[in-house]
Amino acid sequence: GESVGLHLPTLSVQEGDNSIINCAYSNSASDYFIWYKQESGKGPQFIIDIRSNMDKRQGQRVTVLLNKTVKHLSLQIAATQPGDSAVYFCAEKKGNNDMRFGAGTRLTVKP
Amino acid sequence: GAVVSQHPSWVICKSGTSVKIECRSLDFQATTMFWYRQFPKQSLMLMATSNEGSKATYEQGVEKDKFLINHASLTLSTLTVTSAHPEDSSFYICSVPGQGSYEQYFGPGTRLTVT
């Protein structure tokens, strides 16, 4: 079936560096994509979202890029901090349908 | 956004017993709530959609007689794991859709350990 997945299960970066987390999706009908951050023992926390009619959206220190041609989604975190260490999930949604999550990438920030 | 709480935050129970997990939308009325299950180092998997005043909709492979869902009010949905087994040990997370069709707010999760 169609699914959302991630390229890398783990990512380790130095504090201050930029981080890029990737996600591949296969449902071309999805019209909404979201990145969530999940810290250990907690529920997912919304980071940033993007609709399918956009290719880039920026937030505070974060940028999401959407490439519909290759069905690829990425999350860029600028000046990564130790507090950014967590598991990051991409998720997709089509209209009012339920949200589907990708496999997740664990980001570790080394001081 | 909506504030979602879950109770308990963690629970340990013995095999064969039943456990009830509550999901509350504290500041938003929700006709729909979602229940997810997350095993260690894995992603969130949707179990079921809880519908206020009607039956829940279960995902394929989720036993409706084992995971009982009751959405009795616009602010409360409960998930009861019946006859729990060690393989039911997991992190259970609920979510509430926001006012827009795309928004979704997650609870803090409930850690269930079945011994």
mmCIF file of all heavy atoms in Angstrom, chain A residues 7-30:
data_model
loop_
_atom_site.group_PDB
_atom_site.id
_atom_site.type_symbol
_atom_site.label_atom_id
_atom_site.label_comp_id
_atom_site.label_asym_id
_atom_site.label_seq_id
_atom_site.Cartn_x
_atom_site.Cartn_y
_atom_site.Cartn_z
ATOM 1 N N HIS A 7 14.339 8.327 4.747
ATOM 2 C CA HIS A 7 15.541 7.779 4.167
ATOM 3 C C HIS A 7 16.482 7.261 5.237
ATOM 4 O O HIS A 7 17.115 6.232 5.063
ATOM 5 C CB HIS A 7 16.233 8.857 3.345
ATOM 6 C CG HIS A 7 15.474 9.209 2.095
ATOM 7 N ND1 HIS A 7 15.074 8.275 1.196
ATOM 8 C CD2 HIS A 7 15.053 10.392 1.607
ATOM 9 C CE1 HIS A 7 14.441 8.862 0.190
ATOM 10 N NE2 HIS A 7 14.413 10.144 0.411
ATOM 11 N N LEU A 8 16.676 8.016 6.333
ATOM 12 C CA LEU A 8 17.669 7.681 7.329
ATOM 13 C C LEU A 8 17.006 7.460 8.669
ATOM 14 O O LEU A 8 16.250 8.283 9.138
ATOM 15 C CB LEU A 8 18.690 8.814 7.457
ATOM 16 C CG LEU A 8 19.525 9.136 6.212
ATOM 17 C CD1 LEU A 8 20.357 10.383 6.457
ATOM 18 C CD2 LEU A 8 20.431 7.964 5.873
ATOM 19 N N PRO A 9 17.326 6.392 9.343
ATOM 20 C CA PRO A 9 16.756 6.168 10.672
ATOM 21 C C PRO A 9 17.418 7.000 11.752
ATOM 22 O O PRO A 9 16.815 7.293 12.756
ATOM 23 C CB PRO A 9 16.997 4.680 10.895
ATOM 24 C CG PRO A 9 18.174 4.347 10.045
ATOM 25 C CD PRO A 9 18.098 5.246 8.864
ATOM 26 N N THR A 10 18.709 7.353 11.592
ATOM 27 C CA THR A 10 19.410 8.131 12.605
ATOM 28 C C THR A 10 20.223 9.230 11.949
ATOM 29 O O THR A 10 20.691 9.076 10.828
ATOM 30 C CB THR A 10 20.349 7.256 13.454
ATOM 31 O OG1 THR A 10 21.320 6.663 12.586
ATOM 32 C CG2 THR A 10 19.574 6.161 14.161
ATOM 33 N N LEU A 11 20.387 10.310 12.684
ATOM 34 C CA LEU A 11 21.183 11.434 12.215
ATOM 35 C C LEU A 11 21.885 12.057 13.410
ATOM 36 O O LEU A 11 21.230 12.370 14.403
ATOM 37 C CB LEU A 11 20.297 12.461 11.514
ATOM 38 C CG LEU A 11 20.994 13.733 11.020
ATOM 39 C CD1 LEU A 11 22.008 13.393 9.938
ATOM 40 C CD2 LEU A 11 19.975 14.739 10.505
ATOM 41 N N SER A 12 23.193 12.210 13.298
ATOM 42 C CA SER A 12 23.954 12.822 14.370
ATOM 43 C C SER A 12 24.651 14.059 13.839
ATOM 44 O O SER A 12 25.334 13.995 12.812
ATOM 45 C CB SER A 12 24.983 11.815 14.922
ATOM 46 O OG SER A 12 25.696 12.374 16.001
ATOM 47 N N VAL A 13 24.482 15.179 14.523
ATOM 48 C CA VAL A 13 25.076 16.435 14.070
ATOM 49 C C VAL A 13 25.736 17.146 15.244
ATOM 50 O O VAL A 13 25.409 16.895 16.410
ATOM 51 C CB VAL A 13 24.033 17.361 13.427
ATOM 52 C CG1 VAL A 13 23.401 16.710 12.211
ATOM 53 C CG2 VAL A 13 22.990 17.792 14.432
ATOM 54 N N GLN A 14 26.652 18.033 14.926
ATOM 55 C CA GLN A 14 27.273 18.872 15.943
ATOM 56 C C GLN A 14 26.385 20.065 16.241
ATOM 57 O O GLN A 14 25.708 20.593 15.349
ATOM 58 C CB GLN A 14 28.630 19.382 15.463
ATOM 59 C CG GLN A 14 29.729 18.328 15.400
ATOM 60 C CD GLN A 14 30.166 17.857 16.772
ATOM 61 O OE1 GLN A 14 30.427 16.676 16.983
ATOM 62 N NE2 GLN A 14 30.249 18.788 17.719
ATOM 63 N N GLU A 15 26.409 20.454 17.484
ATOM 64 C CA GLU A 15 25.660 21.641 17.881
ATOM 65 C C GLU A 15 26.087 22.827 17.018
ATOM 66 O O GLU A 15 27.270 23.058 16.796
ATOM 67 C CB GLU A 15 25.915 21.953 19.361
ATOM 68 C CG GLU A 15 25.163 23.155 19.885
ATOM 69 C CD GLU A 15 25.416 23.396 21.368
ATOM 70 O OE1 GLU A 15 26.170 22.615 21.988
ATOM 71 O OE2 GLU A 15 24.859 24.364 21.919
ATOM 72 N N GLY A 16 25.112 23.546 16.518
ATOM 73 C CA GLY A 16 25.394 24.703 15.689
ATOM 74 C C GLY A 16 25.316 24.420 14.203
ATOM 75 O O GLY A 16 25.146 25.346 13.400
ATOM 76 N N ASP A 17 25.454 23.140 13.845
ATOM 77 C CA ASP A 17 25.346 22.779 12.434
ATOM 78 C C ASP A 17 23.885 22.758 12.001
ATOM 79 O O ASP A 17 22.971 22.755 12.834
ATOM 80 C CB ASP A 17 25.958 21.402 12.186
ATOM 81 C CG ASP A 17 27.474 21.425 12.254
ATOM 82 O OD1 ASP A 17 28.046 22.542 12.337
ATOM 83 O OD2 ASP A 17 28.075 20.338 12.225
ATOM 84 N N ASN A 18 23.688 22.717 10.706
ATOM 85 C CA ASN A 18 22.337 22.572 10.178
ATOM 86 C C ASN A 18 22.016 21.090 10.010
ATOM 87 O O ASN A 18 22.894 20.286 9.691
ATOM 88 C CB ASN A 18 22.209 23.286 8.828
ATOM 89 C CG ASN A 18 22.417 24.785 8.950
ATOM 90 O OD1 ASN A 18 22.178 25.383 10.011
ATOM 91 N ND2 ASN A 18 22.885 25.408 7.884
ATOM 92 N N SER A 19 20.751 20.738 10.224
ATOM 93 C CA SER A 19 20.300 19.354 10.092
ATOM 94 C C SER A 19 19.300 19.265 8.952
ATOM 95 O O SER A 19 18.491 20.177 8.755
ATOM 96 C CB SER A 19 19.626 18.869 11.376
ATOM 97 O OG SER A 19 20.484 18.975 12.477
ATOM 98 N N ILE A 20 19.369 18.176 8.232
ATOM 99 C CA ILE A 20 18.384 17.921 7.180
ATOM 100 C C ILE A 20 17.845 16.518 7.356
ATOM 101 O O ILE A 20 18.595 15.542 7.353
ATOM 102 C CB ILE A 20 18.997 18.063 5.773
ATOM 103 C CG1 ILE A 20 19.544 19.479 5.556
ATOM 104 C CG2 ILE A 20 17.941 17.746 4.714
ATOM 105 C CD1 ILE A 20 20.243 19.667 4.228
ATOM 106 N N ILE A 21 16.554 16.425 7.539
ATOM 107 C CA ILE A 21 15.883 15.139 7.700
ATOM 108 C C ILE A 21 14.974 14.943 6.494
ATOM 109 O O ILE A 21 14.221 15.850 6.134
ATOM 110 C CB ILE A 21 15.069 15.090 9.008
ATOM 111 C CG1 ILE A 21 16.005 15.332 10.198
ATOM 112 C CG2 ILE A 21 14.338 13.762 9.147
ATOM 113 C CD1 ILE A 21 15.280 15.498 11.518
ATOM 114 N N ASN A 22 15.067 13.776 5.889
ATOM 115 C CA ASN A 22 14.343 13.522 4.652
ATOM 116 C C ASN A 22 13.194 12.537 4.830
ATOM 117 O O ASN A 22 13.184 11.713 5.741
ATOM 118 C CB ASN A 22 15.309 12.965 3.604
ATOM 119 C CG ASN A 22 16.377 13.958 3.237
ATOM 120 O OD1 ASN A 22 16.081 15.081 2.832
ATOM 121 N ND2 ASN A 22 17.631 13.585 3.417
ATOM 122 N N CYS A 23 12.266 12.623 3.916
ATOM 123 C CA CYS A 23 11.094 11.752 3.936
ATOM 124 C C CYS A 23 10.620 11.539 2.513
ATOM 125 O O CYS A 23 10.564 12.489 1.726
ATOM 126 C CB CYS A 23 9.995 12.399 4.786
ATOM 127 S SG CYS A 23 8.435 11.513 4.818
ATOM 128 N N ALA A 24 10.304 10.297 2.186
ATOM 129 C CA ALA A 24 9.739 9.983 0.879
ATOM 130 C C ALA A 24 8.298 9.551 1.059
ATOM 131 O O ALA A 24 7.984 8.823 2.008
ATOM 132 C CB ALA A 24 10.537 8.869 0.204
ATOM 133 N N TYR A 25 7.455 10.017 0.212
ATOM 134 C CA TYR A 25 6.063 9.596 0.291
ATOM 135 C C TYR A 25 5.642 9.039 -1.057
ATOM 136 O O TYR A 25 6.247 9.348 -2.086
ATOM 137 C CB TYR A 25 5.161 10.754 0.726
ATOM 138 C CG TYR A 25 5.025 11.876 -0.274
ATOM 139 C CD1 TYR A 25 3.989 11.916 -1.189
ATOM 140 C CD2 TYR A 25 5.948 12.925 -0.282
ATOM 141 C CE1 TYR A 25 3.865 12.939 -2.098
ATOM 142 C CE2 TYR A 25 5.841 13.954 -1.192
ATOM 143 C CZ TYR A 25 4.788 13.962 -2.099
ATOM 144 O OH TYR A 25 4.682 14.989 -3.001
ATOM 145 N N SER A 26 4.614 8.219 -1.026
ATOM 146 C CA SER A 26 4.207 7.567 -2.271
ATOM 147 C C SER A 26 2.784 7.895 -2.676
ATOM 148 O O SER A 26 2.386 7.594 -3.801
ATOM 149 C CB SER A 26 4.371 6.050 -2.166
ATOM 150 O OG SER A 26 3.626 5.547 -1.080
ATOM 151 N N ASN A 27 2.019 8.507 -1.768
ATOM 152 C CA ASN A 27 0.634 8.837 -2.115
ATOM 153 C C ASN A 27 0.587 10.215 -2.757
ATOM 154 O O ASN A 27 0.620 11.234 -2.082
ATOM 155 C CB ASN A 27 -0.253 8.797 -0.867
ATOM 156 C CG ASN A 27 -1.722 8.970 -1.197
ATOM 157 O OD1 ASN A 27 -2.083 9.241 -2.344
ATOM 158 N ND2 ASN A 27 -2.572 8.823 -0.211
ATOM 159 N N SER A 28 0.538 10.244 -4.057
ATOM 160 C CA SER A 28 0.557 11.515 -4.779
ATOM 161 C C SER A 28 -0.703 12.335 -4.530
ATOM 162 O O SER A 28 -0.742 13.527 -4.834
ATOM 163 C CB SER A 28 0.723 11.260 -6.277
ATOM 164 O OG SER A 28 -0.303 10.402 -6.743
ATOM 165 N N ALA A 29 -1.727 11.703 -3.968
ATOM 166 C CA ALA A 29 -2.975 12.420 -3.692
ATOM 167 C C ALA A 29 -2.953 13.169 -2.371
ATOM 168 O O ALA A 29 -3.848 13.953 -2.084
ATOM 169 C CB ALA A 29 -4.148 11.447 -3.710
ATOM 170 N N SER A 30 -1.936 12.937 -1.549
ATOM 171 C CA SER A 30 -1.853 13.647 -0.267
ATOM 172 C C SER A 30 -1.724 15.136 -0.523
ATOM 173 O O SER A 30 -0.999 15.567 -1.415
ATOM 174 C CB SER A 30 -0.646 13.155 0.533
ATOM 175 O OG SER A 30 -0.842 11.817 0.938
#
